[in-house]
Amino acid sequence: RDWKEWQRLLHKKIRMEAARELVEHTGLKAYEIGERVGYVNANYFSCLFKRRYHVSVSEYRKQLGAT
């Protein structure tokens, strides 16, 4: 992969980690979190979140409450 591809992947990872932090520490809705980390399309953000963390935003929050 070239440098631009690595840069893009790193940027995506950082955005998703920021989103995870917002899920853990705020009561924002999924679409609001997506917007804050730079995703205009809420469905796309939700798909990316689920792909990365293997659960939806709401399921992730439920798991946090169970621990």
Side-chain angles (χ1 to χ4, degrees):
R1 297 180 183 191
D2 65 358
W3 175 246
K4 292 273 187 199
E5 179 67 11
W6 283 112
Q7 208 172 20
R8 187 185 68 75
L9 291 172
L10 180 61
H11 189 245
K12 184 191 272 186
K13 180 180 178 188
I14 291 168
R15 288 164 78 182
M16 293 311 294
E17 288 175 359
R20 181 182 49 80
E21 289 288 322
L22 288 170
V23 171
E24 291 178 2
H25 301 291
T26 73
L28 294 171
K29 296 180 181 185
Y31 78 89
E32 294 171 313
I33 292 169
E35 288 174 353
R36 290 212 181 172
V37 298
Y39 292 101
V40 178
N41 184 318
N43 288 331
Y44 181 63
F45 166 71
S46 294
C47 288
L48 289 177
F49 189 93
K50 190 167 187 174
R51 187 180 308 154
R52 179 156 184 88
Y53 298 109
H54 308 289
V55 290
S56 67
V57 170
S58 60
E59 285 297 316
Y60 191 90
R61 279 201 171 119
K62 285 179 189 173
Q63 289 177 3
L64 288 174
T67 57

